[in-house]
Amino acid sequence: MAADPGARGTARPATTHPQVLTGANVVLPTGTVKNGRLVVDGKRIVSTAPANAEVIDVTGHWLVPGFVDIHNHGGGGASFSGTADDVLKAIRTHRLHGTTTLVASTVTDEMDLLVQQAGLLSELAEQGDIAGIHFEGPFISPCRKGAHSEELLRDPEPAEVRKLIDAARGKAKMVTLATELPGGLDSVRLLAEHGVIAAIGHTDATYEQTVEAIDAGATVATHLFNAMPTLGHRSPGPIAALLEDERVTVELINDGTHLHPAALELAFHHAGASRVAFITDAMDAAGIGDGRYMLGPLEVEVSEGVARLVHGGSIAGSTLTLDRAFKRAVTIDKLPVQDAVTALSANPARLLGLSDRIGSLEPGKDADLVLLDANFDLKGVMRRGEWVVAPQLP
């Protein structure tokens, strides 16, 4: 389990003078620069260091872009389905673990409650606390419901989907759908028309139905492999269709529980690093520890870092933070650091339409960065020029 966020160090005030971070392995879109440097002036990365810049020696460390999580339900003991204070607590928890940009995900609930929560989350998106809203449910298959309340599920009729889009006031970023259900394809087209990502997930679709949904405009696979039919040699199902299509980005939960390493390798082999987005699918226990929690209206037991429904035993999200996903990717899965950065930062930033601001360490972009030591343990987090976790240096 991750350490208590309070042990992570304290934030410094917003940068009032330029800073130059020197000596690190700086991961850029073009490759890694050894013994490189990065200049921060105010909230931005800049190309030239002013004369009054503070120099911080981070030799032997790695500098990577701030992580971007497009699928996250909460953390720090709080949920994105809770109050504004709960939402802010969860955001702070994940920032302490390197996630500088985050989309808040809801879970299946009464439609009136989802509409109400969309209004609250849209206000926080307008303030810049979150990058938008992801609705995971209620438009999913009862056959693949996972940790969603079956009695609250409904078909993805366009009028119902439109209620959530409207309630989000332009801040809806993604909706997960079982596109084989009645209204599914029309809702995919509706989402595409409104610039909202249609994600295929919690689905019992066939290969052919999945291809039809992609042709209609679906562009993301919600936690590929999980909550969908397995890959079969006569019935390949949605997994094959989602992996083979260049238009689709596949989410992966790299926590060692949701996926066997061979499944992750399969996804990277067929989709390539440019089409993978690592996510947490985190619930309240992320950054805290074992115990009893709520995921929407359902009770969850977290034991040894694995979250399962108290009734039924289904895996109920994760306790993952993206710093752990990064370290696992490069130390256990043996992915190149560049590929891990692409999956954790560049690809999700692209999906959100924010590549001009975040997702890579380039002049003119937000000063969002993560400092890692030689073992890929987190040692600092900066968001928009402010140290969320002050550098922890020898």
Side-chain angles (χ1 to χ4, degrees):
M1 291 304 298
D4 187 317
R8 281 286 189 164
T10 56
R12 291 184 180 182
T15 302
T16 56
H17 56 273
Q19 296 185 20
V20 183
L21 306 175
T22 64
N25 298 308
V26 183
V27 183
L28 304 175
T30 53
T32 300
V33 177
K34 296 182 178 180
N35 194 28
R37 72 175 198 160
L38 192 77
V39 183
V40 175
D41 193 355
K43 296 182 179 181
R44 307 287 182 190
I45 298 169
V46 297
S47 55
T48 304
N52 65 333
E54 175 189 4
V55 177
I56 302 175
D57 186 354
V58 290
T59 299
H61 289 66
W62 292 82
L63 278 176
V64 301
F67 306 140
V68 182
D69 195 353
I70 60 172
H71 187 156
N72 186 319
H73 297 281
S79 167
F80 292 128
S81 296
T83 66
D85 286 343
D86 290 334
V87 173
L88 293 172
K89 183 178 182 181
I91 292 168
R92 285 193 297 269
T93 297
H94 285 282
R95 283 184 186 168
L96 292 171
H97 292 273
T99 299
T100 51
T101 301
L102 182 149
V103 173
S105 300
T106 63
V107 294
T108 296
D109 212 325
E110 299 283 358
M111 183 61 75
D112 288 348
L113 293 177
L114 288 173
V115 167
Q116 179 181 334
Q117 194 64 17
L120 184 153
L121 292 172
S122 67
E123 291 179 8
L124 294 172
E126 289 163 3
Q127 296 169 192
D129 294 304
I130 58 174
I133 308 166
H134 164 218
F135 297 101
E136 187 183 23
F139 310 115
I140 61 176
S141 171
C143 301
R144 305 287 174 176
K145 65 182 184 299
H148 291 257
S149 180
E150 183 169 353
E151 59 268 24
L152 297 176
L153 301 181
R154 58 182 65 208
D155 290 336
E157 296 291 349
E160 295 291 284
V161 174
R162 182 65 185 263
K163 287 180 183 178
L164 295 184
I165 299 174
D166 290 345
R169 302 201 304 261
K171 299 303 180 181
K173 288 294 183 180
M174 184 162 66
V175 179
T176 293
L177 306 165
T179 54
E180 75 277 10
L181 295 177
L185 294 179
D186 285 338
S187 286
V188 168
R189 297 184 186 100
L190 172 71
L191 292 168
E193 289 170 3
H194 285 80
V196 179
I197 296 167
I200 299 173
H202 288 275
T203 177
D204 204 39
T206 64
Y207 173 88
E208 291 77 14
Q209 288 171 325
T210 306
V211 168
E212 192 174 10
I214 296 169
D215 287 339
T219 57
V220 165
T222 294
H223 42 55
L224 186 75
F225 300 108
N226 298 115
M228 59 181 62
T230 56
L231 183 64
H233 64 292
R234 291 192 181 91
S235 179
I239 293 172
L242 294 163
L243 281 176
E244 72 184 8
D245 199 299
E246 295 293 326
R247 295 170 290 182
V248 176
T249 299
V250 298
E251 296 180 347
L252 298 177
I253 308 171
N254 192 27
D255 62 353
T257 298
H258 281 79
L259 296 176
H260 189 284
L264 183 138
E265 183 179 0
L266 177 71
F268 268 89
H269 177 76
H270 285 278
S274 65
R275 290 178 46 223
V276 172
F278 281 140
I279 61 166
T280 61
D281 194 16
M283 45 78 72
D284 300 25
I288 294 293
D290 292 352
R292 288 279 180 111
Y293 299 87
M294 298 300 295
L295 183 63
L298 302 178
E299 191 172 12
V300 175
E301 176 79 28
V302 178
S303 178
E304 297 182 356
V306 178
R308 294 185 179 276
L309 291 181
V310 171
H311 302 290
S314 293
I315 292 178
S318 86
T319 62
L320 188 62
T321 52
L322 283 183
D323 57 336
R324 289 169 48 210
F326 187 101
K327 181 172 182 175
R328 181 180 178 86
V330 297
T331 61
I332 296 177
D333 303 313
K334 304 301 182 183
L335 290 179
V337 172
Q338 195 80 33
D339 287 355
V341 167
T342 300
L344 279 151
S345 303
N347 289 343
R350 169 181 53 79
L351 285 171
L352 296 176
L354 298 175
S355 292
D356 60 328
R357 284 184 38 218
I358 61 171
S360 59
L361 300 178
E362 297 177 273
K365 293 193 177 183
D366 289 354
D368 291 356
L369 60 88
V370 177
L371 180 68
L372 305 165
D373 66 13
N375 297 316
F376 299 101
D377 290 317
L378 186 145
K379 294 298 177 180
V381 181
M382 178 182 284
R383 182 177 186 268
R384 298 181 185 174
E386 177 181 350
W387 286 107
V388 179
V389 176
Q392 301 167 38
L393 302 173

